[in-house]
Amino acid sequence: MSGTSMSSANGKRGSNSKNGTGNANGTLDTGTGTGTGTGTGTGTGADAATGDLSRRRLLGGVGAAGAAGLVLGAAGGATGYAATRSDAPTALTTIGAARTMFHGKHQPGITTPLQARGHIVAFDLAPGAGRKEAAALMRRWSAVAQRLMAGEPTTGGSADGTTHDTGIALDAGPSSLTVTFGFGHTFFERTGLVAHRPPGLDPLPPFSSDRLDPKRSGGDLWVQIGADDALVAFHALRAIQKEAATTARVRWQMNGFNRTPGATAKPMTARNLMGQLDGTGNPKPSESDFDRRIFVPSHTAEGDDAKYGWLAGGSYAVVRRIRMLLDDWEKLPLDRQERVIGRRKADGAPLSGGTETTEMDLDKAGPDGKLLIPDNAHARISSPERNSGAAMLRRPFSYHDGIAADGTPDAGLLFICWQADPLKGFVPVQRKLDRGDALSPFIRHEASGLFAVPGGAADGEYVGQRLLES
């Protein structure tokens, strides 16, 4: 979608910007859950020797397309750039100007390309808060999300008594900001709407790899925030928390990241902290059954399912905080790592041959008669072919929450997957993985959540209105 002018005259956050077009990544198929990149190069001669990073060298270093992947700030610049640049910073680039629309058939943040920064946060309604208070909260949250996603400041007068925008994201454009809202199993009890709770929101079954912390699992309400700028993402997180005020309290909150747009020489699938490409097998929007697999169909608004009609156009988000035991993983030789996954680490190609996008040949054997993709390889066990066609759209963030006294990193994946029905997506695949995935010894599921994410809000609506005012 096209970018928007960020001039202060029209109330936008940034200044002196040019219009941008497309998404922040500019090169992705929507919804594939992949990262992006642009051309790279190096300076030479005295320029390189002195470290004088001129605009010419900067543009040459990333290529013409890569220039769209750099946020250089408004005219006047900041001292951090002045220390490495000899000329004035340029106007807001397409990364900052890229805007995702709030209103639509589906909520943003589901098929939106992966963003560089993310926050996920769950809230519990405060004692005494019910349906009326939840509706007022969703109205406030929707209004704030719409403004921030357009690159506009909050209006002030937030529910916690703050009378002005915090200013955290001043000078930045929307930066592909998305804010996505969901309801947990307990939300329907708290609001007296149990009759409208869909069967797909039944609690997930236990799995043998679970080491779940109940304090970091579940929740009445769930919010996912993503943006290609860290300050823009944090600004949205603060605004959402401030609007919750006394209506809802934070239950848990987690921070994540992905590769920054423009960091790689070409568009490519994102890597996780194990170094593996993550999202190769994602369903593609171009596939005829994509909507059927990912979004709740509109026929839920008819007949016996009419009480679940509020979820039409929505989806289910399964959220898992997966700790990666990186010390153990990194000690494995490369060929062992590749057999655990079933794909080459360098390019994500299946061990049966070809490129990343080549279909796996699960029956192909090597000269020794052994399967090239082992029986317990993660890619084999999780493939739709081995799970009666079960599929989900993976859209994760990596996380790193520090290093323990023994030097062990608390790092891994904020796994978020989307599907029209968890019993036909996450659950059957995870059950298979639970019974013999070669990757299991190197990961630990430490938190979990399942949320029903309503369809997108139409103009003049707030998210969840069709449920809360039913």
Side-chain angles (χ1 to χ4, degrees):
M1 300 172 188
S2 64
T4 57
S5 173
M6 296 294 121
S7 67
S8 58
N10 63 10
K12 305 297 186 188
R13 282 194 305 250
S15 60
N16 296 333
S17 73
K18 300 177 181 177
N19 289 336
T21 58
N23 58 48
N25 304 322
T27 52
L28 273 180
D29 291 332
T30 302
T32 58
T34 59
T36 64
T38 51
T40 60
T42 59
T44 58
D47 182 39
T50 62
D52 178 14
L53 189 59
S54 68
R55 184 170 187 273
R56 182 178 294 106
R57 179 186 167 193
L58 184 61
L59 293 176
V62 298
L70 297 172
V71 178
L72 303 180
T79 55
Y81 287 111
T84 57
R85 305 180 79 250
S86 60
D87 55 339
T90 61
L92 189 72
T93 67
T94 55
I95 281 187
R99 175 183 175 184
T100 303
M101 303 305 294
F102 175 77
H103 295 293
K105 182 179 180 180
H106 313 298
Q107 285 196 61
I110 301 175
T111 59
T112 308
L114 285 179
Q115 295 120 317
R117 302 294 297 189
H119 302 291
I120 53 176
V121 54
F123 294 83
D124 286 334
L125 289 171
R131 181 174 178 176
K132 178 181 177 181
E133 291 76 15
L137 173 59
M138 293 307 302
R139 189 179 293 109
R140 294 196 302 270
W141 272 354
S142 296
V144 165
Q146 183 180 359
R147 288 188 64 84
L148 296 183
M149 287 175 56
E152 300 173 358
T154 59
T155 57
S158 60
D160 74 342
T162 303
T163 60
H164 57 84
D165 183 86
T166 60
I168 298 169
L170 284 176
D171 313 313
S175 303
S176 297
L177 174 68
T178 58
V179 185
T180 315
F181 303 101
F183 303 134
H185 187 270
T186 53
F187 176 81
F188 296 82
E189 297 163 358
R190 303 296 306 278
T191 56
L193 291 166
V194 172
H196 295 272
R197 182 168 60 201
L201 206 51
D202 288 347
L204 297 173
F207 302 103
S208 64
S209 59
D210 287 353
R211 302 292 185 271
L212 304 182
D213 179 357
K215 294 180 180 179
R216 294 194 293 181
S217 299
D220 294 340
L221 296 138
W222 176 72
V223 184
Q224 174 194 252
I225 296 167
D228 281 327
D229 179 79
L231 291 181
V232 169
F234 183 76
H235 181 228
L237 176 65
R238 287 293 294 144
I240 291 296
Q241 183 182 359
K242 291 165 79 62
E243 290 297 344
T246 59
T247 302
R249 300 171 180 174
V250 173
R251 179 180 180 90
W252 54 260
Q253 193 268 314
M254 301 174 190
N255 308 311
F257 57 90
N258 283 303
R259 177 169 275 154
T260 302
T264 56
K266 60 182 180 180
M268 61 184 299
T269 307
R271 290 190 185 272
N272 60 37
L273 299 188
M274 286 180 161
Q276 301 294 145
L277 295 182
D278 195 325
T280 297
N282 263 344
K284 307 295 190 294
S286 58
E287 296 169 351
S288 60
D289 60 352
F290 178 83
D291 280 4
R292 178 180 61 80
R293 288 174 153 187
I294 307 305
F295 296 111
V296 176
S298 58
H299 64 67
T300 55
E302 304 170 359
D304 294 338
D305 291 334
K307 58 188 174 182
Y308 310 131
W310 62 270
L311 192 52
S315 189
Y316 289 93
V318 174
V319 182
R320 309 279 282 186
R321 185 183 191 272
I322 303 175
R323 175 88 168 265
M324 293 178 172
L325 308 182
L326 294 177
D327 285 344
D328 295 336
W329 173 256
E330 290 163 0
K331 290 174 184 175
L332 288 183
L334 177 60
D335 63 328
R336 285 275 316 277
Q337 291 182 351
E338 292 181 335
R339 289 200 299 273
V340 165
I341 301 298
R343 291 182 176 274
R344 292 200 300 258
K345 194 170 187 177
D347 59 6
L351 296 185
S352 54
T355 67
E356 181 189 356
T357 57
T358 301
E359 291 289 333
M360 290 186 292
D361 186 345
L362 299 177
D363 299 320
K364 189 174 182 178
D368 58 1
K370 295 182 180 180
L371 290 170
L372 291 175
I373 301 176
D375 276 331
N376 62 350
H378 182 76
R380 172 186 287 273
I381 296 176
S382 62
S383 67
E385 294 83 355
R386 297 290 170 166
N387 292 279
S388 303
M392 51 193 165
L393 180 65
R394 297 168 58 97
R395 197 176 180 279
F397 292 94
S398 292
Y399 79 86
H400 177 228
D401 286 343
I403 298 176
D406 64 358
T408 303
D410 182 2
L413 197 69
L414 300 180
F415 175 90
I416 304 168
C417 71
W418 301 89
Q419 57 263 285
D421 184 351
L423 291 177
K424 296 179 182 178
F426 174 80
V427 172
V429 175
Q430 187 59 31
R431 278 178 171 156
K432 278 281 186 72
L433 293 171
D434 213 35
R435 293 197 292 264
D437 179 18
L439 186 60
S440 291
F442 304 98
I443 59 176
R444 186 165 61 225
H445 292 238
E446 296 185 336
S448 180
L450 171 62
F451 303 95
V453 175
D459 287 342
E461 280 188 340
Y462 62 86
V463 175
Q465 182 171 339
R466 280 163 270 175
L467 169 66
L468 290 164
E469 297 186 11
S470 60

